[in-house]
PDB file of all heavy atoms in Angstrom:
ATOM      1  N   ILE B 285      78.227 139.406 -47.970  1.00  0.00           N
ATOM      2  CA  ILE B 285      76.843 139.527 -48.468  1.00  0.00           C
ATOM      3  C   ILE B 285      76.165 140.718 -47.781  1.00  0.00           C
ATOM      4  O   ILE B 285      75.521 141.539 -48.436  1.00  0.00           O
ATOM      5  CB  ILE B 285      76.052 138.217 -48.223  1.00  0.00           C
ATOM      6  CG1 ILE B 285      76.567 137.123 -49.162  1.00  0.00           C
ATOM      7  CG2 ILE B 285      74.550 138.418 -48.435  1.00  0.00           C
ATOM      8  CD1 ILE B 285      76.079 135.733 -48.836  1.00  0.00           C
ATOM      9  N   CYS B 286      76.363 140.824 -46.463  1.00  0.00           N
ATOM     10  CA  CYS B 286      75.734 141.928 -45.715  1.00  0.00           C
ATOM     11  C   CYS B 286      76.222 143.286 -46.215  1.00  0.00           C
ATOM     12  O   CYS B 286      75.412 144.189 -46.430  1.00  0.00           O
ATOM     13  CB  CYS B 286      76.035 141.806 -44.229  1.00  0.00           C
ATOM     14  SG  CYS B 286      75.045 140.547 -43.453  1.00  0.00           S
ATOM     15  N   ILE B 287      77.521 143.405 -46.395  1.00  0.00           N
ATOM     16  CA  ILE B 287      78.058 144.718 -46.809  1.00  0.00           C
ATOM     17  C   ILE B 287      77.619 145.039 -48.247  1.00  0.00           C
ATOM     18  O   ILE B 287      77.361 146.198 -48.580  1.00  0.00           O
ATOM     19  CB  ILE B 287      79.594 144.807 -46.605  1.00  0.00           C
ATOM     20  CG1 ILE B 287      80.023 146.270 -46.618  1.00  0.00           C
ATOM     21  CG2 ILE B 287      80.383 144.037 -47.612  1.00  0.00           C
ATOM     22  CD1 ILE B 287      81.403 146.534 -46.130  1.00  0.00           C
ATOM     23  N   CYS B 288      77.502 144.007 -49.075  1.00  0.00           N
ATOM     24  CA  CYS B 288      77.004 144.232 -50.440  1.00  0.00           C
ATOM     25  C   CYS B 288      75.535 144.666 -50.391  1.00  0.00           C
ATOM     26  O   CYS B 288      75.123 145.558 -51.126  1.00  0.00           O
ATOM     27  CB  CYS B 288      77.141 142.968 -51.278  1.00  0.00           C
ATOM     28  SG  CYS B 288      78.837 142.628 -51.739  1.00  0.00           S
ATOM     29  N   LEU B 289      74.774 144.023 -49.520  1.00  0.00           N
ATOM     30  CA  LEU B 289      73.358 144.391 -49.397  1.00  0.00           C
ATOM     31  C   LEU B 289      73.212 145.807 -48.842  1.00  0.00           C
ATOM     32  O   LEU B 289      72.340 146.569 -49.263  1.00  0.00           O
ATOM     33  CB  LEU B 289      72.612 143.394 -48.515  1.00  0.00           C
ATOM     34  CG  LEU B 289      72.404 142.003 -49.116  1.00  0.00           C
ATOM     35  CD1 LEU B 289      71.721 141.084 -48.119  1.00  0.00           C
ATOM     36  CD2 LEU B 289      71.576 142.071 -50.399  1.00  0.00           C
ATOM     37  N   LEU B 290      74.097 146.152 -47.894  1.00  0.00           N
ATOM     38  CA  LEU B 290      74.056 147.519 -47.342  1.00  0.00           C
ATOM     39  C   LEU B 290      74.397 148.538 -48.420  1.00  0.00           C
ATOM     40  O   LEU B 290      73.800 149.611 -48.485  1.00  0.00           O
ATOM     41  CB  LEU B 290      75.043 147.650 -46.178  1.00  0.00           C
ATOM     42  CG  LEU B 290      74.546 147.133 -44.833  1.00  0.00           C
ATOM     43  CD1 LEU B 290      75.648 147.233 -43.795  1.00  0.00           C
ATOM     44  CD2 LEU B 290      73.333 147.933 -44.357  1.00  0.00           C
ATOM     45  N   THR B 291      75.372 148.186 -49.264  1.00  0.00           N
ATOM     46  CA  THR B 291      75.708 149.081 -50.380  1.00  0.00           C
ATOM     47  C   THR B 291      74.508 149.198 -51.312  1.00  0.00           C
ATOM     48  O   THR B 291      74.205 150.286 -51.809  1.00  0.00           O
ATOM     49  CB  THR B 291      76.936 148.537 -51.144  1.00  0.00           C
ATOM     50  OG1 THR B 291      77.936 148.216 -50.197  1.00  0.00           O
ATOM     51  CG2 THR B 291      77.476 149.537 -52.135  1.00  0.00           C
ATOM     52  N   GLY B 292      73.835 148.075 -51.528  1.00  0.00           N
ATOM     53  CA  GLY B 292      72.615 148.090 -52.346  1.00  0.00           C
ATOM     54  C   GLY B 292      71.570 149.010 -51.758  1.00  0.00           C
ATOM     55  O   GLY B 292      70.918 149.768 -52.473  1.00  0.00           O
ATOM     56  N   LEU B 293      71.448 148.962 -50.437  1.00  0.00           N
ATOM     57  CA  LEU B 293      70.485 149.840 -49.758  1.00  0.00           C
ATOM     58  C   LEU B 293      70.884 151.301 -49.980  1.00  0.00           C
ATOM     59  O   LEU B 293      70.040 152.141 -50.312  1.00  0.00           O
ATOM     60  CB  LEU B 293      70.443 149.531 -48.259  1.00  0.00           C
ATOM     61  CG  LEU B 293      69.582 150.455 -47.408  1.00  0.00           C
ATOM     62  CD1 LEU B 293      68.112 150.351 -47.774  1.00  0.00           C
ATOM     63  CD2 LEU B 293      69.749 150.159 -45.922  1.00  0.00           C
ATOM     64  N   ALA B 294      72.182 151.575 -49.820  1.00  0.00           N
ATOM     65  CA  ALA B 294      72.661 152.943 -50.030  1.00  0.00           C
ATOM     66  C   ALA B 294      72.382 153.391 -51.459  1.00  0.00           C
ATOM     67  O   ALA B 294      71.918 154.524 -51.685  1.00  0.00           O
ATOM     68  CB  ALA B 294      74.153 153.019 -49.734  1.00  0.00           C
ATOM     69  N   LEU B 295      72.597 152.507 -52.436  1.00  0.00           N
ATOM     70  CA  LEU B 295      72.349 152.867 -53.840  1.00  0.00           C
ATOM     71  C   LEU B 295      70.856 153.097 -54.091  1.00  0.00           C
ATOM     72  O   LEU B 295      70.490 154.006 -54.840  1.00  0.00           O
ATOM     73  CB  LEU B 295      72.861 151.765 -54.773  1.00  0.00           C
ATOM     74  CG  LEU B 295      74.379 151.569 -54.836  1.00  0.00           C
ATOM     75  CD1 LEU B 295      74.735 150.480 -55.832  1.00  0.00           C
ATOM     76  CD2 LEU B 295      75.090 152.849 -55.229  1.00  0.00           C
ATOM     77  N   SER B 296      70.017 152.302 -53.447  1.00  0.00           N
ATOM     78  CA  SER B 296      68.568 152.488 -53.604  1.00  0.00           C
ATOM     79  C   SER B 296      68.142 153.836 -53.032  1.00  0.00           C
ATOM     80  O   SER B 296      67.346 154.557 -53.632  1.00  0.00           O
ATOM     81  CB  SER B 296      67.799 151.386 -52.878  1.00  0.00           C
ATOM     82  OG  SER B 296      68.259 150.135 -53.273  1.00  0.00           O
ATOM     83  N   LEU B 297      68.697 154.164 -51.859  1.00  0.00           N
ATOM     84  CA  LEU B 297      68.345 155.445 -51.237  1.00  0.00           C
ATOM     85  C   LEU B 297      68.883 156.609 -52.069  1.00  0.00           C
ATOM     86  O   LEU B 297      68.227 157.644 -52.201  1.00  0.00           O
ATOM     87  CB  LEU B 297      68.882 155.512 -49.800  1.00  0.00           C
ATOM     88  CG  LEU B 297      68.285 154.481 -48.828  1.00  0.00           C
ATOM     89  CD1 LEU B 297      68.917 154.612 -47.449  1.00  0.00           C
ATOM     90  CD2 LEU B 297      66.778 154.613 -48.711  1.00  0.00           C
ATOM     91  N   ILE B 298      70.065 156.401 -52.645  1.00  0.00           N
ATOM     92  CA  ILE B 298      70.628 157.446 -53.525  1.00  0.00           C
ATOM     93  C   ILE B 298      69.724 157.617 -54.749  1.00  0.00           C
ATOM     94  O   ILE B 298      69.437 158.743 -55.169  1.00  0.00           O
ATOM     95  CB  ILE B 298      72.082 157.091 -53.934  1.00  0.00           C
ATOM     96  CG1 ILE B 298      73.024 157.338 -52.746  1.00  0.00           C
ATOM     97  CG2 ILE B 298      72.537 157.905 -55.151  1.00  0.00           C
ATOM     98  CD1 ILE B 298      74.425 156.792 -52.915  1.00  0.00           C
TER      99      ILE B 298
END
Side-chain angles (χ1 to χ4, degrees):
Chain B
I285 289 168
C286 283
I287 198 167
C288 287
L289 290 177
L290 278 176
T291 312
L293 174 64
L295 292 182
S296 307
L297 296 178
I298 285 169

